[in-house]
Structure formats: structure tokens, C-alpha cells
Amino acid sequence: MADRVHSMPSPSSSPLPPPPGRRRPDHHHHQQSDADPDPAAAPATDETTPLHPSFFHDRPLALSPPPGTYIIQVPKDQVLRSPPPDRARRYNKLAGRPARRRRLRRACCLSCAALLAILAAAAAFAGAVFLIFRPRAPSFSVPSSLSIRGLDATALASPPTAGLSPALDAAVRADNGRNGKVGVEYRAGGDVAVSYAGQRLAAGPWPAFRQAPRNVTVVASPMRGQGVRLTDAQRRQLAADRAARAVPLTVETRVPVRLRFGKVLRTWTVDVKVRCEVAVDRLDGNAAVVNRGCRVRVKPLWWWW
């Protein structure tokens, strides 16, 4: 004999359907059960009364998701295998970046390696040339005489309104005797100048010629000046030096030079500057010269000089 279970009012929400395989009792049967309070009068039945709807609502979501919810499981190896059509171009562009970066990195490394190899080869070649030829700088000096005109006592005492016009014929001795295998090419465009106390007196061109190894050449250069004006202090000092028979002059030479190693190999052209300090005993006629030393300056070939 089954126990009698009184039905309860359904909640506001629609009741869930009964479990499958169970038949829901009709309403007539419930009315008869309510009308007959005697349990002995209730007929026997093999039907089961459905559970209250709260039984289904209180179940965990993991076991029974709410209506309208769908759970789709996608295998992990199939996610984002192919991009959407509207982003396929951007996907291909981003996917190709690592390859381009690798190619660019490889090209940079190869360029740096090639540059280092070229520099190493150039350094080795320069070292071999230096060890084989042993280049040395030629020496310069001013010979023992110098012809001077236009700086006599009369011109210094009353200088003309247009200025002084001195004329000097100087000779510079270039000695390449220390180089047994290296020749020197003096190219056109050089000049020679003579100055006193920082004031240029006259200037002239330096001739172009080729100097063989172990050769000594004396270069004569006529120098002319025009419109030279000396200050009162410079004229007084020049008169005092002339009276003491020791007038200091500066001979400056600037000439483009190129070296020759053997018959084929040549260097680039560089400017060589020579500064010689001399002293003369007079300022007219042929004056005796006392050399006080010459200095050679050239920056690009510092290792050679």
C-alpha cells in the first residue's frame, strides 16, 4: 500500500516535466484523494507521485544547466587553425615577420663580417707595405744664401702710400736620401711664402716634379709681394734686427705630395706643410742664411712622418 502524498501548488515558473517512464496522475485522482481522508479507503496503486519542482531547481548547475545554455567542447588542436577571410592578409603578414627578421639579421651579420674582413685585409696589406719599403719623410732646409730686394733702409724709413713690394728669391732643399725604395711626387698647386713677425712679405709657386729614391733636389722659387704694410712697431723691430745683423724670417711651404712604392703602387695625394725658421744678416742683396730648423706636418700620413 503506497503512502498518500498531497500535491502542492506549483511555483510561478512552469513546472518541469516528470522524469521519463513515469506517468503523471490526472487531476481526477487527486480530487478523490483529497475528498477521502480515510487511508483505508484509498485503493492500491503502483503509480508514483512526481517530486516537487524545487527538487530540480536545487540541483547543481554542473549536473543540470539552465534551459537555453549549450556547452560546446572543441578539440584544442583545432582552435584557430585557419583565420577568418577578412583577416587572412593580416595573418599572413604577421606570420611572415619572423622569417623577414631572420633574413635581415643574417644580412647584417654577413655585412659586418665582410666589412671586418676588408679592414683586416687592408691593415695587413698596409703593414706588409710598411715592412717591405720602410718609408721615411724627406728632410727640408734653406740653402746658405737668399736674395732680398725692396726691404732696404730707405723703404723701411718712409714706406710708400701703396705699401711695400718686396722680392725674394729663395731656394728650398728637399732631401729624399733616407728612402731607398720610395719615391716622392710633388704635384702642382703648392706655394712658398716668407713672413716676418706673422706678416707675409712675399709668396711664390712651388714647381711640380718627381723625386727618385735617394735623391736631393734644390727648388728655386721666386717670391713677390705687393701692398705689404708694416705697423710702426714692426718697422722699429725690423730696423733693430737689421742693425743686429740677425733678422728672423719664416719660410713656409705647402705642397701636395704622393708617394711611389716601386713602379706601380702609389698612395693618395696629401698636403705636406713645411715650416723653416731662418735668420739673415741683411735685407738687401744676397743675404747669408742661418738655418734654425724645419718642421714637417702632415696629418693623414702620421704613421709615415
Side-chain angles (χ1 to χ4, degrees):
M1 182 68 66
D3 295 337
R4 182 177 298 173
V5 179
H6 295 278
S7 61
M8 297 181 64
S10 60
S12 59
S13 61
S14 61
L16 296 176
R22 302 291 180 148
R23 188 174 61 185
R24 183 175 183 180
D26 54 348
H27 185 67
H28 180 71
H29 175 72
H30 283 283
Q31 289 180 353
Q32 291 180 358
S33 298
D34 295 338
D36 190 5
D38 189 3
T45 178
D46 55 355
E47 295 179 355
T48 303
T49 304
L51 297 176
H52 192 270
S54 62
F55 173 79
F56 299 99
H57 288 285
D58 295 340
R59 299 181 66 182
L61 293 177
L63 299 178
S64 178
T69 302
Y70 300 91
I71 298 177
I72 301 176
Q73 294 184 355
V74 181
K76 195 172 184 179
D77 58 347
Q78 297 182 7
V79 177
L80 297 177
R81 284 297 181 183
S82 60
D86 56 339
R87 297 189 179 181
R89 182 179 301 177
R90 180 172 177 82
Y91 173 79
N92 295 332
K93 182 179 180 180
L94 295 177
R97 280 186 178 180
R100 289 197 299 270
R101 290 179 179 176
R102 286 194 298 269
R103 289 194 298 267
L104 181 60
R105 190 181 299 111
R106 189 180 299 111
C108 292
C109 293
L110 292 177
S111 300
C112 294
L115 180 60
L116 291 177
I118 293 174
L119 293 178
F125 178 75
V129 170
F130 179 81
L131 293 177
I132 293 173
F133 291 94
R134 297 286 182 176
R136 294 293 184 271
S139 59
F140 297 87
S141 61
V142 178
S144 58
S145 63
L146 182 65
S147 176
I148 304 175
R149 297 183 301 275
L151 291 176
D152 52 6
T154 304
L156 293 176
S158 58
T161 306
L164 299 175
S165 298
L168 294 89
D169 294 331
V172 179
R173 184 175 183 268
D175 188 356
N176 193 32
R178 295 192 300 172
N179 287 315
K181 300 179 180 180
V182 179
V184 181
E185 290 184 3
Y186 297 94
R187 305 176 67 82
D191 55 55
V192 183
V194 175
S195 59
Y196 171 79
Q199 175 64 48
R200 176 171 290 193
L201 301 177
W206 177 277
F209 65 96
R210 180 182 301 176
Q211 190 174 24
R214 301 189 184 282
N215 176 265
V216 178
T217 303
V218 179
V219 179
S221 177
M223 294 173 284
R224 301 292 182 268
Q226 187 175 3
V228 178
R229 297 181 181 276
L230 299 176
T231 63
D232 295 339
Q234 289 176 341
R235 287 200 305 272
R236 289 194 298 268
Q237 183 64 37
L238 184 58
D241 293 337
R242 184 173 58 85
R245 303 181 65 85
V247 180
L249 297 176
T250 301
V251 180
E252 295 177 314
T253 303
R254 184 196 60 83
V255 58
V257 172
R258 186 169 65 178
L259 304 182
R260 293 174 56 92
F261 298 96
K263 297 182 179 180
V264 178
L265 187 60
R266 295 177 178 85
T267 64
W268 59 93
T269 302
V270 296
D271 285 341
V272 176
K273 297 180 180 180
V274 182
R275 182 185 178 94
C276 298
E277 302 291 343
V278 300
V280 296
D281 59 346
R282 53 189 301 180
L283 293 176
D284 54 344
N286 293 326
V289 176
V290 177
N291 283 282
R292 296 181 177 179
C294 296
R295 183 177 60 181
V296 180
R297 295 181 58 186
V298 56
K299 291 183 179 180
L301 293 179
W302 58 268
W303 54 270
W304 181 58
W305 302 102

